[in-house]
Amino acid sequence: MPQLKKGQRVYLIDEIRGFAILCMVIYHGVYDLLAIFGISFPFFSPLMNGVRTFFAGTFIFISGTACQFSHNNLKRGAICLGLGLAITLFTALFLPEELIVFGILHMLGISMMLF
């Protein structure tokens, strides 16, 4: 890979990460409608678990790759972990049956800070 100049972006990483985020948002939106409101979607089947895992794995891989380009992984990791903890608090208060104790945001936040 050619050497990058300071401040230069790798747009492919941004595009793949954005696509993975979009796919996860759509998946979780449909999942929440199904789990919370009982609205069914015919395409939401066990096959979707594989799709979910693929896009979550892609997001984790790209986030790890992007860490080497970050100016402040400690700050990014703290923000990510803070968002994960906010989701833990939200699910504990409003959806205790769906409690998220250690999810992807928690893992990414800790990983970024350790990096």
Side-chain angles (χ1 to χ4, degrees):
M1 183 158 104
Q3 195 67 13
L4 294 174
K5 295 176 185 161
K6 186 173 175 84
Q8 188 176 1
R9 296 203 62 88
V10 180
Y11 292 105
L12 181 61
I13 290 175
D14 292 337
E15 291 166 1
I16 294 171
R17 181 175 36 202
F19 180 71
I21 289 171
L22 180 65
C23 290
M24 288 189 298
V25 166
I26 291 169
Y27 172 85
H28 280 287
V30 172
Y31 176 83
D32 291 346
L33 289 174
L34 179 74
I36 297 171
F37 300 107
I39 299 170
S40 69
F41 289 89
F43 67 89
F44 204 83
S45 66
L47 174 66
M48 291 301 289
N49 288 334
V51 172
R52 176 201 65 209
T53 302
F54 174 75
F55 286 118
T58 301
F59 180 70
I60 291 168
F61 177 77
I62 290 295
S63 294
T65 302
C67 275
Q68 67 180 334
F69 301 116
S70 176
H71 298 291
N72 192 342
N73 282 309
L74 188 61
K75 180 181 174 184
R76 284 180 59 229
I79 291 169
C80 197
L81 181 60
L83 291 170
L85 292 173
I87 290 173
T88 297
L89 180 62
F90 179 85
T91 57
L93 294 174
F94 300 107
L95 298 166
E97 64 281 353
E98 297 283 334
L99 181 63
I100 298 173
V101 177
F102 190 83
I104 289 176
L105 290 178
H106 299 89
M107 185 272 306
L108 284 175
I110 289 171
S111 298
M112 286 177 205
M113 290 189 293
L114 290 174
F115 182 80

